[in-house]
């Protein structure tokens, strides 16, 4: 039966290629294969044993080596093998294998002897566009193509690759701000089309088992990436395109934001409101009123409106002194009515027309030019704006409208025509900022909030968000899918304007449900138009009290969340993970975004319908699960309709998990990191281990500088006892601190006889109703050992 299935798969994905393409010659050379054919040349190489790269160079064209996406160097020590016979060539590693049939000409890819896909027609010209197409199997689910709201399985769609905002979208958005030319398959491979120009991805829209990439110009290069699991596949893709650096710790707190704060007085009053109500907050984000009194006509000023912000340096310094960061919006447009227009013209930092003059055009905000960030002059000019603001104490930067929102095809940049660089504008804008920080502020982690990007934008520290989503239940419903899809594509910090942005729909239930979802999202940032307040501090008394609980939980979970972020920097693993990551053959999970994993330990099911009284929850079969709030146990592999609660969304913890938590503080700078509340969800007879990473929350690449610690938690149990141990390892330049651990152990069905901490019997509390036992211990040296005896 297995042989029959393999033959069916081979026949499905091995259809003959372009009949007019004739083999002429080939050359093998250290993991490379060059093939000359009648209409051009193929260059095929193994990047490593998980990734192969193929480039086609049509006759009359030259090879373009420039990639905006790829940073992975070839493995010069890779063991590769070559074979050839009368009708075939093979280049292989212990993982990826490329087979080339000479006649009729065809290229096929496999991984560990399992077919992946094959070129169908390969490269061909279609009217004025270049196309590369493939044959795929009939049963695979397809993901990728950037940020969209289409349903998890995107097979059957033709996706335009042209970054564009979709204002006020709800449950469907075919085209959005991030168009990434990457396709991932449920068969655990991915294809990345390494070209910046605009075009299309066709994910079998004609239902003929084909996958195609179409573009107006540029490189005919793609990478085939494989893995043994979803985690490994994402790791391999982010090895190719770069890992996200660890953001500052404060980024994981609550960020106050709206469109927008109109004065210094309003900023200061807003922060005081949070302080007076003891609602945690770490930063305040200023929209476009910081540089102008009106929405239209002022973009490009890029300096403080001193009438409304008379002393911004003092405002920022006062906020910084209390642990609150200031984040400013910027846009790449310089209006002809702005204070910087003439300077921009004189310094030749704008995109031009065919005569070399500034390219001017109209859009909503006014008559404008756009900064040419591909021009060294434009790049330096823009960075000097940021450098001045950072020197004033600004803690983070927001790049808005970076699709770019309007970028006529006739505009010309130093990097190419508008349509050739449109999709990498935001990507290179983030690079400009990241490079500037490394050069001028090497001891500061940047916060770069961006609305648009490209393959590999994560390596610049970009924090993406899902655009101007409708403030509606429909708007909320699409957010899980968008975040999960983007996490699979390397952009693990994709998040939404909590509460929704667009519209004046007033619904406190919606607001609370969105914030409760936000607790288990990469970034916690309520943001909206002015019609309805987005900040927790400005809500009515009842809503404020309920929302405050969500904010407080966000802060309590900081050590868990920060460790997720560290795992992402090391392995590319998303913070939000689809359930099919653990059950890759579960067809129901493969097309569902109803629930997701938050890291390894949490299972989260957002409430996305008004008045919803129960939620159907599937409990993955790898573990038993416990309600995070009540401790109720749910059996692995079951589906249960769970009653909903007003104060939280259905959230469950994997049996055997350690959940480290902090005490709530006004902001992250005030948190006592030397005291941890550690929840352990006990399962008899299993042993588990968890490592928590920590550093100072500010030093760039602290783990590479020996400025960090890890806290290792272990458990082991029998019918008669449960052993919990904690061991702290500090890097050579990090100070060892003595930690107090408050254990809250769940699923303890009878009162313990005794508890020993570091061999000493201690008092404890047992709650028979909740089946929890609570006790504390203080680390001695690097170690804390606890034994619960039954």
């Amino acid at each position: 039966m297995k042989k029959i299935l393999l033959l069916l798969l081979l026949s499905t994905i091995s259809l003959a290629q372009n009949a007019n393409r004739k083999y002429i010659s080939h050359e093998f050379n250290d993991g490379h294969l060059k093939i000359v054919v009648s209409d051009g040349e193929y260059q095929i190489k193994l990047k490593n044993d998980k990734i192969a790269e193929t480039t086609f160079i049509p006759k009359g064209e030259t090879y373009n080596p420039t990639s905006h996406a790829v940073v992975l160097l070839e493995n010069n020590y890779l063991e590769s093998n070559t074979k050839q016979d009368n009708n075939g060539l093979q280049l292989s590693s212990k993982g990826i294998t490329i087979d080339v049939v000479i006649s009729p000409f065809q290229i096929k890819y496999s991984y560990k002897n399992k077919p992946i896909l094959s070129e169908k027609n390969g490269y061909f010209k279609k009217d004025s566009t270049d196309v590369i197409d493939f044959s795929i199997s009939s049963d695979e689910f397809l993901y990728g193509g950037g940020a969209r709201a289409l349903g998890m399985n995107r097979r059957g769609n033709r996706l335009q690759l042209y970054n564009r905002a979709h204002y006020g979208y709800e449950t469907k958005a075919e085209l959005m701000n991030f168009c990434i030319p990457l396709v991932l398959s449920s068969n655990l491979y991915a294809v990345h089309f390494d070209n910046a120009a605009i075009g299309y991805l066709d994910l079998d829209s004609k239902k003929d088992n084909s996958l195609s990439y179409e573009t107006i110009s540029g490189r005919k290069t793609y990478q085939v990436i494989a893995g043994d699991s979803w985690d490994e596949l994402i790791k391999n893709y982010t090895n190719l395109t770069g890992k996200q650096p660890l953001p500052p710790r404060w980024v994981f707190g609550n960020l106050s934001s709206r469109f927008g704060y109109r004065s210094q007085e309003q900023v200061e009053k807003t922060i005081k409101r949070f302080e007076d109500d003891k609602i945690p907050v770490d930063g305040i984000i200023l929209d476009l009123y910081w540089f102008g009194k009106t929405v239209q006509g002022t973009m490009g000023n890029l300096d403080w409106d001193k009438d409304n912000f008379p002393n911004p340096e003092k405002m920022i310094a006062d906020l910084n002194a209390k642990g609150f960061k200031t984040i400013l919006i910027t846009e790449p447009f310089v209006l002809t009515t702005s204070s910087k227009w003439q300077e921009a013209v004189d310094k030749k930092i704008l995109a031009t027309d065919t005569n070399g003059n500034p390219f001017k055009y109209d859009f909503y905000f006014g008559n404008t030019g756009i900064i040419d960030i591909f021009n060294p002059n434009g790049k330096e000019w823009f960075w000097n704006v940021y450098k001045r603001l950072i020197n004033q104490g600004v803690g983070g930067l927001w790049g808005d409208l970076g699709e770019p929102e309007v970028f006529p095809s006739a505009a010309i940049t130093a990097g190419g025509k508008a349509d050739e660089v449109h999709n990498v504008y935001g990507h290179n804008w983030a690079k400009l900022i990241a490079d500037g920080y490394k050069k001028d502020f090497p001891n500061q982690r940047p916060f770069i909030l961006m609305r648009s990007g490209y393959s590999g934008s994560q390596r610049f520290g970009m924090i993406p968000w899902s655009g101007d989503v409708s403030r509606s239940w429909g708007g909320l419903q699409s957010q899980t899918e968008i975040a999960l899809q983007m996490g699979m594509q390397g952009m693990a910090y994709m998040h939404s304007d909590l509460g929704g942005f667009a519209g004046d729909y007033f619904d406190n239930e919606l607001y609370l449900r969105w914030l409760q979802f936000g607790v288990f999202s990469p970034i916690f940032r309520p943001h909206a138009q002015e019609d309805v307040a987005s900040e927790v501090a400005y809500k009515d008394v009842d809503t404020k009290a309920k929302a405050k609980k969500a904010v407080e939980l966000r802060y309590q979970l900081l050590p868990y969340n920060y460790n997720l972020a560290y795992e992402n920097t090391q392995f590319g693993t998303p913070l939000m993970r689809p359930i099919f990551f653990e059950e890759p053959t579960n067809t129901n999970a493969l097309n569902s975004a109803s629930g997701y994993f938050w890291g390894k330990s949490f299972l989260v099911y957002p409430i996305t319908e008004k008045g919803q009284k129960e939620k159907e929850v599937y409990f993955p079969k790898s573990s038993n699960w416990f309600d995070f709030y009540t401790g109720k146990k749910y059996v692995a592999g079951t589906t249960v309709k769970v009653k909903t609660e007003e104060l939280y969304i259905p959230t469950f913890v994997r049996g055997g998990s350690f959940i480290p938590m902090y005490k709530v503080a006004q902001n992250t700078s005030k948190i006592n990191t030397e005291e941890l509340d550690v929840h352990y969800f006990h399962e008899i007879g299993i042993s588990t281990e968890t490592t928590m990473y920590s550093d100072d929350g500010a030093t760039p690449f602290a783990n590479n500088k020996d400025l960090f610690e890890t806290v290792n938690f272990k458990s082991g149990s029998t019918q008669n006892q449960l052993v919990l141990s904690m061991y702290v390892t500090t890097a050579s330049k990090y100070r060892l601190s003595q930690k107090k651990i408050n254990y809250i152990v769940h699923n303890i069905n009878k009162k313990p006889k005794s508890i020993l901490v570091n061999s000493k019997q201690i008092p404890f509390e047992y709650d028979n109703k909740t089946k929890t036992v609570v006790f504390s211990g203080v680390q001695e040296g690097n170690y804390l050992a606890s034994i619960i005896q039954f």
Side-chain angles (χ1 to χ4, degrees):
M1 184 64 180
K2 288 183 178 178
K3 289 183 178 179
I4 295 172
L5 289 173
L6 182 59
L7 287 170
L8 285 171
L9 183 60
L10 282 166
S11 64
T12 301
I13 67 175
S14 300
L15 300 175
Q17 200 172 332
N18 191 329
N20 296 320
R21 182 163 293 134
K22 305 299 181 186
Y23 164 86
I24 295 176
S25 66
H26 75 274
E27 179 183 344
F28 285 114
N29 184 17
D30 291 335
H32 290 226
L33 171 58
K34 182 170 77 171
I35 307 172
V36 179
V37 292
S38 53
D39 56 342
E41 178 183 300
Y42 276 98
Q43 293 184 5
I44 303 171
K45 56 187 175 184
L46 295 167
K47 303 286 283 186
N48 57 34
D49 60 0
K50 309 286 185 181
I51 303 173
E53 179 176 282
T54 298
T55 298
F56 184 74
I57 308 165
K59 270 189 175 180
E61 294 188 18
T62 57
Y63 175 62
N64 175 7
T66 303
S67 170
H68 290 272
V70 171
V71 294
L72 179 68
L73 300 176
E74 290 175 53
N75 182 352
N76 293 324
Y77 302 100
L78 178 70
E79 292 184 16
S80 62
N81 297 297
T82 61
K83 290 181 182 179
Q84 66 182 88
D85 57 29
N86 291 336
N87 197 42
L89 310 170
Q90 185 181 86
L91 175 63
S92 65
S93 67
K94 64 181 181 181
I96 287 271
T97 296
I98 304 102
D99 285 292
V100 181
V101 179
I102 288 176
S103 181
F105 191 87
Q106 183 180 34
I107 299 177
K108 302 183 289 185
Y109 300 87
S110 60
Y111 178 68
K112 294 185 176 179
N113 299 316
K114 177 184 176 183
I116 294 176
L117 79 169
S118 66
E119 287 196 358
K120 188 175 185 179
N121 295 294
Y123 166 79
F124 64 95
K125 200 81 176 174
K126 176 185 173 184
D127 299 324
S128 61
T129 62
D130 298 321
V131 181
I132 306 172
D133 69 355
F134 301 85
S135 296
I136 59 175
S137 62
S138 60
D139 61 346
E140 54 193 298
F141 291 65
L142 300 178
Y143 311 93
R148 315 196 186 235
L150 295 169
M152 281 299 286
N153 181 14
R154 293 179 172 176
R155 186 167 187 159
N157 288 283
R158 177 172 162 83
L159 308 177
Q160 186 179 2
L161 298 174
Y162 187 89
N163 291 351
R164 178 178 290 162
H166 186 156
Y167 179 83
Y169 71 92
E170 294 191 26
T171 56
K172 188 168 185 179
E174 296 181 356
L175 184 62
M176 292 178 63
N177 316 69
F178 289 83
C179 292
I180 296 178
L182 172 70
V183 181
L184 302 103
S185 166
S186 59
N187 287 345
L188 295 179
Y189 73 87
V191 185
H192 175 251
F193 298 95
D194 192 3
N195 183 43
I198 65 173
Y200 289 88
L201 271 178
D202 193 311
L203 309 188
D204 196 27
S205 69
K206 297 177 183 176
K207 303 192 184 310
D208 58 355
N209 297 326
S210 66
L211 163 68
S212 68
Y213 169 73
E214 182 177 342
T215 183
I216 61 166
S217 64
R219 287 156 52 90
K220 292 80 179 171
T221 296
Y222 63 87
Q223 293 89 24
V224 176
I225 308 143
D228 295 312
S229 65
W230 276 105
D231 283 343
E232 188 186 46
L233 180 60
I234 307 307
K235 177 183 177 181
N236 295 339
Y237 170 70
T238 53
N239 284 341
L240 179 73
T241 59
K243 297 288 193 295
Q244 178 109 16
L246 191 59
R249 182 182 279 121
W250 62 263
V251 169
F252 298 95
N254 176 27
L255 303 178
S256 178
S257 185
R258 67 158 58 187
F259 179 48
Y261 301 107
R262 294 173 178 262
S263 68
Q264 180 173 333
E265 179 183 21
Q266 189 180 19
V267 169
E268 293 167 343
K269 282 185 175 179
T270 297
I271 290 296
K272 188 174 187 307
R273 192 81 168 256
F274 278 97
E275 290 180 292
D276 290 345
D277 290 334
K278 294 183 171 53
I279 301 170
V281 67
D282 261 84
I284 187 162
I285 302 176
L286 277 61
D287 213 312
L288 46 75
Y289 294 114
W290 75 271
F291 57 71
K293 298 177 182 63
T294 58
V295 172
Q296 295 175 310
T298 60
M299 192 170 287
N301 285 346
L302 294 169
D303 206 348
W304 295 95
D305 173 14
K306 288 299 185 70
D307 291 335
N308 288 325
F309 293 87
N311 197 341
E313 291 89 350
K314 183 178 185 306
M315 177 190 76
I316 294 169
D318 289 346
L319 292 174
N320 280 336
K322 294 189 288 185
F324 305 117
K325 305 296 183 184
T326 304
I327 301 100
L328 300 182
I329 194 173
T330 56
E331 297 90 358
F333 301 100
V334 181
L335 299 189
T336 57
T337 54
S338 74
S339 61
K340 293 283 194 296
W341 172 254
Q342 194 56 50
E343 178 184 340
V345 172
D346 294 343
K347 295 193 173 182
K348 300 184 183 300
I349 60 103
L350 301 171
T352 65
D353 59 21
T354 53
N355 296 317
N357 298 315
F359 190 93
K360 295 185 289 184
Y361 54 98
D362 294 324
F363 76 141
Y364 173 77
F365 296 94
N367 184 255
T368 194
I370 188 170
I371 299 169
D372 184 356
I373 59 171
F374 304 95
N375 178 342
N377 292 336
K379 189 184 301 184
E380 181 182 12
W381 184 88
F382 212 179
W383 172 246
N384 283 334
V385 169
Y386 291 127
K387 186 176 178 180
R388 170 174 50 82
L389 295 170
I390 297 166
N391 279 324
Q392 290 176 354
V394 168
L397 301 169
W398 172 12
D400 199 13
L401 313 184
E403 294 79 23
E405 178 150 308
V406 179
F407 197 18
S409 299
I412 300 170
T413 75
K417 297 177 182 178
D419 287 348
E420 295 172 330
V421 299
H422 179 96
N423 286 344
V424 291
Y425 190 97
H427 177 81
N428 282 278
W429 186 8
K431 181 180 186 299
L432 178 161
I433 297 172
D435 289 348
Y437 267 95
K438 287 178 183 177
K439 173 177 172 286
D440 293 320
F441 305 98
N443 297 318
Q444 186 173 339
R445 295 183 196 175
F447 173 65
I448 306 171
L449 181 65
M450 288 266 173
R451 199 174 80 173
S452 191
Y454 178 69
S455 313
S457 290
Q458 69 274 359
R459 69 178 179 266
F460 306 129
M462 181 186 288
I463 305 291
W465 91 99
S466 59
D468 295 339
V469 58
S470 167
R471 186 187 293 159
S472 66
W473 290 97
L476 173 57
Q477 286 163 19
S478 59
Q479 296 311 305
T480 306
E481 174 199 339
I482 292 170
L484 291 174
Q485 288 271 358
M486 287 293 282
M488 293 166 65
Q489 297 171 73
M491 304 294 287
Y493 289 87
M494 174 56 83
H495 67 287
S496 61
D497 292 339
L498 299 183
F501 176 80
D504 58 0
Y505 181 63
F506 185 83
D507 185 339
N508 283 331
E509 181 189 358
L510 171 66
Y511 178 78
L512 290 170
R513 291 307 193 195
W514 213 316
L515 263 62
Q516 291 160 4
F517 161 64
V519 172
F520 301 97
S521 298
I523 301 293
F524 192 95
R525 184 185 57 84
H527 179 68
Q529 294 171 331
E530 290 181 290
D531 309 276
V532 179
S534 57
E535 305 91 340
V536 175
Y538 284 121
K539 291 298 181 181
D540 63 84
V541 173
D542 182 58
T543 304
K544 183 193 301 183
K546 293 169 184 174
K548 182 180 178 181
K549 290 183 181 297
V551 178
E552 289 176 339
L553 179 56
R554 177 73 178 187
Y555 277 76
Q556 290 173 291
L557 287 171
L558 181 60
Y560 179 87
N561 293 347
Y562 196 69
N563 189 69
L564 292 190
Y566 176 70
E567 290 177 356
N568 173 256
T569 70
Q570 299 301 297
F571 310 112
T573 317
L575 285 71
M576 292 174 64
R577 305 164 191 177
I579 289 173
F580 61 72
F581 268 38
E582 286 195 6
E583 299 187 14
T585 60
N586 182 336
T587 54
N588 290 329
L590 286 167
N591 196 29
S592 174
S594 177
Y596 61 93
F597 296 118
W598 177 241
K600 181 73 173 176
S601 298
F602 281 102
L603 176 67
V604 181
Y605 275 79
I607 299 300
T608 59
E609 296 178 14
K610 186 175 181 61
Q612 192 169 359
K613 300 300 182 185
E614 59 182 17
K615 181 80 173 183
E616 185 171 277
V617 174
Y618 170 68
F619 293 97
K621 58 188 178 184
S622 54
S623 313
N624 292 324
W625 297 85
F626 295 87
D627 189 300
F628 180 51
Y629 304 98
T630 68
K632 182 178 178 179
K633 183 176 178 178
Y634 293 89
V635 176
T638 61
T639 299
V640 179
K641 289 186 176 180
V642 175
K643 180 184 175 184
T644 63
E645 301 291 339
E646 184 182 21
L647 293 180
Y648 52 84
I649 58 177
T651 308
F652 309 91
V653 180
R654 187 189 302 272
S657 293
F658 290 91
I659 307 295
M661 300 173 72
Y662 287 142
K663 301 292 187 186
V664 176
Q666 183 63 64
N667 55 53
T668 55
S669 72
K670 302 293 193 299
I671 283 176
N672 176 13
T673 60
E674 296 179 6
E675 181 175 5
L676 284 167
D677 293 341
V678 179
H679 291 255
Y680 177 70
F681 291 81
H682 175 49
E683 286 267 66
I684 295 174
I686 69 169
S687 300
T688 58
E689 184 174 353
T690 299
T691 299
M692 184 187 88
Y693 172 89
S694 185
D695 56 29
D696 66 4
T699 302
F701 304 102
N703 62 306
N704 295 332
K705 300 173 182 177
D706 289 333
L707 292 169
F708 69 95
E709 69 176 9
T710 58
V711 182
N712 183 260
F713 295 99
K714 287 185 178 181
S715 72
S717 68
T718 65
Q719 290 288 343
N720 299 320
Q721 71 175 22
L722 167 63
V723 178
L724 303 174
S725 65
M726 182 199 80
Y727 188 83
V728 180
T729 303
T730 56
S732 60
K733 298 178 183 178
Y734 200 77
R735 180 181 65 87
L736 177 65
S737 60
Q738 189 178 59
K739 289 180 170 54
K740 179 183 179 183
I741 304 298
N742 305 311
Y743 278 113
I744 303 94
V745 184
H746 301 261
N747 195 34
I748 301 298
N749 292 318
K750 63 180 179 179
K751 185 176 181 179
K753 293 178 180 178
S754 64
I755 296 180
L756 301 177
V757 173
N758 287 343
S759 302
K760 299 174 185 177
Q761 189 164 319
I762 61 153
F764 62 89
E765 296 177 8
Y766 177 72
D767 188 323
N768 187 55
K769 183 178 180 181
T770 61
K771 305 300 181 186
T772 56
V773 62
V774 179
F775 65 96
S776 298
V778 177
Q779 164 192 337
E780 294 181 6
N782 293 69
Y783 196 66
L784 178 67
S786 307
I787 301 175
I788 304 174
Q789 297 175 324
F790 302 106

